[in-house]
Amino acid sequence: MSKQILILPGDGIGPEIMAEAVKVLELANTKYQLGFEFSHDVIGGAAIDKHGVPLADETLERARAADAVLLGAVGGPKWDAIERDIRPERGLLKIRAQLGLFANLRPAILYPQLADASSLKPEIVAGLDILIVRELTGGIYFGAPRGTRELDNGERQAYDTLPYSESEIRRIARVGFDMARVRGKKLCSVDKANVLASSQLWREVVEQVAKDYPDVELSHMYVDNAAMQLVRAPKQFDVMVTDNMFGDILSDEASMLTGSIGMLPSASLDSNNKGMYEPCHGSAPDIAGKGIANPLATILSVSMMLRYSFNQHAAAEAIEKAVSLVLDQGLRTGDIWSEGKAKVGTQEMGDAVVAALRNL
Ligand code: IPM
Ligand code: MG
């Protein structure tokens, strides 16, 4: 039976990087006889322009019916003035929530070829391989009530809510432990239990879940310390599990350890490993349309899709190998460029990965 992949390029650099990732995916599809069929649709600002909302019902239905979704990025200045409830980002949050994609895997792996592109000293990041497991459908991103109210003195006050139920914490903790079990067997749970009630429960539930994983070494860290440790001694971490907002922030920070956020892929999975795959970076409106964005994060997201949704490990590894070979050739987009390397554009980078994959 054929497998359906829904492609949602989104806004800004989204369509440019997606075009390259799709080339790689199409080649993998024929080379490894994966039996994929593709369809395309709009999300974010592009959907606002077409349908007046950032995620149309028909697009959501298509995503539900698909076996996996590949997404570019959403948002841009054109839609900044729109009211919060129908901003481009709401489309992304809605598809995550509606598909139940609670487990967001964000690996920060340093390709040895890029050690000098990192903002940290090479010896601090050499060999870095961290996995951030971010809770993606709960917490302050979705908590109610939220809004703006008027105080007695006439001043406006805005507020958000950070709720976590035991079951939400338990299921993401399990993903963290499961991932640690097949990696370095170390899990660090990141919270702010010295201040937040939600974090106190988080820590308690993670402790309970830990009883089922005696083979995994569990530690807890406050998020402020974790942010510091990530730039001080990042190799102490194997898997980190954390809530929606802390994970958003720490994964951006971790990306810079690897040279550029343009290298970081992600997988967002439901309880059956159905997934949506997207680069961790945003739509980068400042460089959109210039053909200079780094397509590797999206290409590596394709590889995560093959691995997690389709168990196509050989094809996934081949794509990662192709990326590594292209870096060996000295090809660099601007974000990972350093002296002596060849600066290439989005399309050249994509073509080089396709050529490397074809020859494997
Ligand atoms: C991310 C992004 C999104 C998030 C935005 C675009 C809503 O920053 O995927 O990390 O905050 O989750
Ligand atoms: Mg983010």
Side-chain angles (χ1 to χ4, degrees):
M1 258 230 337
S2 71
K3 303 271 184 208
Q4 304 295 322
I5 315 257
L6 177 65
I7 314 257
L8 301 173
D11 312 316
I13 59 169
E16 297 164 53
I17 52 173
M18 188 58 82
E20 303 313 310
V22 167
K23 281 192 224 165
V24 174
L25 181 54
E26 281 174 345
L27 173 59
N29 191 26
T30 40
K31 189 174 161 101
Y32 297 92
Q33 299 174 358
L34 303 175
F36 291 158
E37 281 175 12
F38 306 105
S39 58
H40 289 73
D41 209 334
V42 289
I43 190 169
I48 295 174
D49 290 350
K50 190 168 170 195
H51 303 290
V53 288
L55 179 68
D57 289 343
E58 64 196 62
T59 308
L60 181 58
E61 284 323 307
R62 225 170 259 165
R64 260 192 234 288
D67 295 288
V69 179
L70 188 63
L71 186 135
V74 299
K78 180 177 174 193
W79 307 280
D80 268 353
I82 293 178
E83 61 175 293
R84 185 172 53 77
D85 283 346
I86 57 160
R87 280 179 63 95
E89 290 79 3
R90 298 309 295 181
L92 182 57
L93 298 181
K94 184 171 174 188
I95 197 169
R96 286 173 178 171
Q98 290 290 320
L99 297 185
L101 308 173
F102 69 93
N104 184 215
L105 311 182
R106 298 190 160 189
I109 296 170
L110 181 81
Y111 278 83
Q113 300 94 322
L114 297 183
D116 53 1
S118 172
S119 45
L120 297 191
K121 294 194 198 88
E123 64 269 24
I124 293 189
V125 291
L128 183 84
D129 181 354
I130 301 177
L131 177 66
I132 296 182
V133 177
R134 168 188 177 194
E135 200 291 325
L136 200 62
T137 52
I140 202 164
Y141 272 55
F142 296 95
R146 75 187 328 166
T148 310
R149 58 192 163 210
E150 199 177 302
L151 299 177
D152 290 344
N153 67 5
E155 197 190 356
R156 282 179 312 148
Q157 183 190 55
Y159 55 97
D160 296 277
T161 306
L162 201 179
Y164 267 111
S165 67
E166 291 176 289
S167 56
E168 282 177 303
I169 303 169
R170 199 172 296 121
R171 67 181 182 175
I172 193 70
R174 287 205 172 281
V175 174
F177 280 106
D178 285 337
M179 290 290 151
R181 185 168 259 179
V182 296
R183 292 174 41 106
K185 299 199 183 326
K186 270 172 37 180
L187 179 67
C188 179
S189 171
V190 177
D191 62 36
K192 189 70 187 171
N194 51 347
V195 176
L196 302 176
S198 55
S199 278
Q200 283 158 10
L201 185 64
W202 180 280
R203 200 173 268 224
E204 218 179 277
V205 173
V206 171
E207 287 285 348
Q208 284 166 7
V209 175
K211 297 202 177 90
D212 295 338
Y213 297 85
D215 52 324
V216 175
E217 182 194 317
L218 172 67
S219 62
H220 301 279
M221 205 178 266
Y222 296 138
V223 63
D224 48 349
N225 186 24
M228 191 258 281
Q229 296 297 337
L230 267 176
V231 287
R232 193 188 74 85
K235 281 188 272 179
Q236 69 184 282
F237 297 112
D238 174 24
V239 180
M240 303 173 92
V241 63
T242 191
D243 84 359
N244 203 341
M245 185 161 66
F246 298 157
D248 179 46
I249 298 167
L250 293 180
S251 59
D252 264 37
E253 189 190 4
S255 74
M256 275 322 286
L257 307 173
T258 72
S260 165
I261 195 166
M263 295 298 298
L264 237 74
S266 81
S268 307
L269 306 175
D270 74 1
S271 41
N272 301 310
N273 277 3
K274 162 151 179 190
M276 182 165 85
Y277 299 83
E278 50 176 314
C280 288
H281 62 69
S283 58
D286 53 321
I287 59 164
K290 296 186 179 161
I292 58 172
N294 186 349
L296 294 180
T298 315
I299 290 172
L300 291 168
S301 299
V302 168
S303 144
M304 289 189 89
M305 177 174 93
L306 298 183
R307 180 165 285 131
Y308 289 104
S309 281
F310 301 111
N311 280 316
Q312 294 287 350
H313 297 280
E317 265 161 40
I319 291 175
E320 285 153 16
K321 181 90 203 292
V323 167
S324 187
L325 286 171
V326 164
L327 296 175
D328 283 341
Q329 291 161 22
L331 304 190
R332 304 282 189 273
T333 42
D335 56 316
I336 50 174
W337 180 81
S338 61
E339 208 54 50
K341 301 294 185 228
K343 198 179 275 185
V344 298
T346 310
Q347 207 179 321
E348 276 169 280
M349 189 58 116
D351 288 342
V353 176
V354 166
L357 181 62
R358 188 170 291 128
N359 291 330
L360 275 177

